[in-house]
Amino acid sequence: MPIVVVEQEKTLAALTTRLLKARTAKAVKEKAAQAIRAANPALDLDHLQPGMVVVVPRLAEARAAEDDDDPVDEFLDVLLSRVGREVVELLQAAESALEAEQAELATTAEILDDEDIEEAAQNDPMLQENLDSLRSSLESDAETAQRNTDILRDGAEQWHSDLDDLSTAW
């Protein structure tokens, strides 16, 4: 949430008038005052002093005039946008890695299923045991890679939701 430093305002009504755009409806001003009171329970908003810091929650109906050019808001918007892009890139990298790993595992499985290797394994019980163990390990690796990527996908969805929530928090 943005903050504002009290200048010469003595009351919440005066502060609200300073913050809201011109020609704001009285009901909207009252709603803004109530929201400011709720966000600042420890402050005596009826007796403001210059230099006091007041939290000002955003209201959909009434945007503070200063919000349009607030460098902090602009920075936070840029930051959240950048984090969102990084989350997308992370997920794309994970998807690419999963595809590469799946291709590598498929190639390895083809090699293990080669006719010559199968024939050699029939004549060597230890080789057969090693091949079976390797096949099991490859299958387990493929399942783990898929599961980890699915977890990352779910996490990315949650991160995007959290970023959306953050973007409306100030």
Side-chain angles (χ1 to χ4, degrees):
M1 282 188 219
I3 60 170
V4 66
V5 177
V6 174
E7 292 174 357
Q8 299 303 319
E9 301 82 15
K10 304 279 186 209
T11 65
L12 179 56
L15 181 64
T16 304
T17 299
R18 179 183 124 200
L19 295 175
L20 297 179
K21 292 182 178 180
R23 293 195 250 165
T24 302
K26 185 176 181 177
V28 173
K29 285 183 181 180
E30 182 56 37
K31 185 173 181 179
Q34 289 173 357
I36 292 171
R37 279 193 192 283
N40 297 278
L43 293 182
D44 181 0
L45 297 173
D46 295 319
H47 300 95
L48 297 176
Q49 300 292 321
M52 286 177 72
V53 176
V54 178
V55 174
V56 181
R58 282 194 188 267
L59 297 175
E61 302 88 352
R63 292 185 49 114
E66 298 170 359
D67 281 353
D68 295 336
D69 298 324
D70 186 352
V72 173
D73 282 354
E74 290 175 19
F75 171 77
L76 290 173
D77 289 342
V78 169
L79 178 64
L80 291 177
S81 177
R82 179 177 283 167
V83 170
R85 284 193 309 271
E86 293 293 331
V87 168
V88 168
E89 290 177 16
L90 174 65
L91 188 55
Q92 289 171 341
E95 297 281 355
S96 294
L98 177 63
E99 288 177 22
E101 184 165 352
Q102 288 172 335
E104 182 180 336
L105 292 173
T107 300
T108 303
E110 284 179 26
I111 292 169
L112 295 178
D113 292 339
D114 182 77
E115 186 177 299
D116 292 336
I117 292 178
E118 287 292 331
E119 188 176 315
Q122 289 177 357
N123 296 326
D124 185 347
M126 183 165 290
L127 177 60
Q128 184 64 51
E129 184 178 321
N130 286 339
L131 288 173
D132 291 343
S133 175
L134 186 55
R135 284 185 184 108
S136 176
S137 179
L138 290 173
E139 187 177 310
S140 176
D141 288 351
E143 290 171 0
T144 299
Q146 183 65 54
R147 186 173 43 255
N148 288 344
T149 303
D150 290 343
I151 289 169
L152 184 59
R153 260 189 225 110
D154 293 343
E157 287 177 24
Q158 183 62 49
W159 293 335
H160 282 295
S161 175
D162 291 346
L163 289 172
D164 289 343
D165 291 346
L166 279 174
S167 72
T168 60
W170 64 88

